[in-house]
C-alpha cells in the first residue's frame, strides 16, 4: 500500500494546527483544536483503511478484493466522539462566557502555590514559610472577583 504524499502532508498540518490550538487559553480555540484534530484523525483512519475495494459481503467478491470495514467503523466512532466533545466544550465555553464574560482558561491558584513550593524544595530552602506577599495577592484574586 502506498500513501499519497499530499495526504500525508495534509494530515501532518491538521495535527500540527490542532495541537497548536489546543495549547491556547481560549476555550473557543481549544474547541477548534479538538475539531481539527478530529478531522485529522478521520483522514488518518481512512488512509489506514487502504484503497477502496468491494463491499465485505460473502458471495459478492473474493476475500482479496474486499475492503476492511474496521477503519471505517473507527472513523465513525471518532466522528461521534468528536461531536460529543465539541458539544461539551461549546456548553463549557457558553457557561464560562455567561458567568465570567470571557472564555479564557486561567491558571489554578493552588497549582501556582505547589509550583513555588516545589521550586523552593529543589533549591534546598525548606523553611515553613507558606505564604509570601505574592501568594497572598494571588489567593485573594478569587475573593475579589466574587465580590464584584
Amino acid at each position: 500500500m502506498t500513501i499519497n504524499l499530499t495526504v500525508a502532508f495534509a494530515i501532518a498540518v491538521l495535527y500540527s494546527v490542532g495541537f497548536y490550538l489546543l495549547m491556547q487559553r481560549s476555550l473557543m480555540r481549544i474547541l477548534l483544536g479538538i475539531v481539527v484534530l478530529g478531522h485529522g484523525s478521520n483522514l488518518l483512519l481512512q488512509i489506514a483503511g487502504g484503497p477502496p475495494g468491494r463491499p465485505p459481503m460473502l458471495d459478492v467478491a473474493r476475500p482479496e478484493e474486499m475492503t476492511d470495514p474496521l477503519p471505517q467503523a473507527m472513523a465513525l466512532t471518532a466522528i461521534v466522539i468528536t461531536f460529543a466533545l465539541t458539544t461539551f466544550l461549546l456548553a463549557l465555553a457558553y457557561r464560562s462566557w455567561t458567568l465570567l464574560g470571557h472564555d479564557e482558561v486561567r491558571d489554578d491558584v493552588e497549582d501556582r502555590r505547589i509550583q513555588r513550593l516545589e521550586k523552593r524544595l529543589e533549591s534546598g530552602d525548606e523553611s515553613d514559610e507558606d505564604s509570601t506577599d505574592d501568594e497572598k495577592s494571588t489567593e485573594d484574586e478569587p475573593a475579589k472577583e466574587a465580590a464584584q
Side-chain angles (χ1 to χ4, degrees):
M1 178 177 98
T2 61
I3 185 168
N4 188 350
L5 190 59
T6 308
V7 177
F9 184 71
I11 292 171
V13 167
L14 285 173
Y15 271 96
S16 300
V17 169
F19 282 120
Y20 174 76
L21 288 172
L22 269 179
M23 302 306 286
Q24 304 300 311
R25 292 220 176 250
S26 171
L27 279 176
M28 289 309 293
R29 289 186 182 184
I30 293 172
L31 171 72
L32 289 174
I34 293 288
V35 170
V36 169
L37 275 175
H39 289 316
S41 299
N42 292 336
L43 188 58
L44 180 67
L45 287 170
Q46 289 302 316
I47 293 302
R54 306 277 306 199
M57 298 187 311
L58 293 177
D59 297 332
V60 173
R62 292 181 305 196
E64 303 88 41
E65 298 174 350
M66 293 182 187
T67 303
D68 187 15
L70 183 63
Q72 296 171 4
M74 292 192 58
L76 286 173
T77 305
I79 290 170
V80 170
I81 291 170
T82 302
F83 181 72
L85 195 55
T86 301
T87 56
F88 173 72
L89 285 174
L90 275 173
L92 192 64
Y94 176 74
R95 178 88 171 151
S96 175
W97 184 265
T98 56
L99 290 178
L100 302 174
H102 58 82
D103 67 341
E104 188 170 322
V105 179
R106 296 183 311 167
D107 285 337
D108 190 20
V109 176
E110 188 66 19
D111 286 342
R112 283 190 244 154
R113 190 180 69 76
I114 290 172
Q115 285 175 348
R116 279 192 218 107
L117 180 63
E118 186 177 84
K119 285 180 184 176
R120 228 180 325 158
L121 290 175
E122 285 177 358
S123 67
D125 181 22
E126 296 185 13
S127 63
D128 273 341
E129 187 179 319
D130 275 342
S131 61
T132 62
D133 291 334
D134 188 34
E135 285 182 5
K136 288 179 184 176
S137 66
T138 56
E139 289 175 359
D140 292 338
E141 285 176 9
K144 290 177 185 176
E145 285 183 13
Q148 293 176 356

